[in-house]
Amino acid sequence: MTDDVRAIAQRMYEAFNARDLTAAETIFSTDFVSHPLGTVGVDSVLQAWSGLHTMFPDIQVVVEDMLVDADKAAVRTTLHGIPAGVEAQAPASMMEIFRVQNGRIAELWGMSSLNRPGR
């Protein structure tokens, strides 16, 4: 199971970096829960990804560390392609924990050092 969890987590970051929004339908469960956003469903992923791609057209997520245990993955990433002046520290970082069920990401917990304008 750990190989499946690692593969789906890596696939999610690859899809984000490739701007492949259609892949979200096969990566996230239909009842996916984003605890940081307080949302349910794949549409919330599409909206978040689109917003980040619009705000930061050159954004790329780089996986720095990934720990997998049973049905969960903890992933530390850095965010590249954020223009100077938007982020005091470079690069911004994220820490996310995914729970995988039936080969898809079912839940996500996370936090980011990225300060989005207007928040």
Side-chain angles (χ1 to χ4, degrees):
M1 172 115 189
T2 58
D3 288 340
D4 294 339
V5 172
R6 182 177 308 278
I8 196 71
Q10 289 173 326
R11 196 165 137 229
M12 191 274 307
Y13 291 114
E14 290 168 2
F16 177 86
N17 287 340
R19 276 94 174 128
D20 184 359
L21 299 180
T22 59
E25 298 288 337
T26 63
I27 294 170
F28 296 90
S29 65
T30 56
D31 58 349
F32 166 74
V33 177
S34 171
H35 293 281
L37 297 177
T39 58
V40 176
V42 179
D43 287 342
S44 64
V45 174
L46 300 176
Q47 185 176 9
W49 284 13
S50 293
L52 283 169
H53 292 143
T54 299
M55 193 178 305
F56 308 114
D58 297 326
I59 193 168
Q60 292 286 297
V61 177
V62 176
V63 174
E64 303 293 346
D65 297 296
M66 184 183 302
L67 302 172
V68 177
D69 184 28
D71 65 346
K72 293 187 182 74
V75 187
R76 183 178 66 88
T77 60
T78 53
L79 303 172
H80 298 269
I82 310 285
V86 173
E87 191 58 42
Q89 60 180 346
S93 60
M94 288 191 306
M95 182 66 198
E96 297 176 302
I97 298 173
F98 301 99
R99 183 179 64 81
V100 174
Q101 181 178 344
N102 299 323
R104 294 184 183 209
I105 297 174
E107 282 185 277
L108 177 142
W109 298 263
M111 49 194 287
S112 170
S113 68
L114 180 64
N115 294 317
R116 292 189 192 168
R119 287 197 175 211

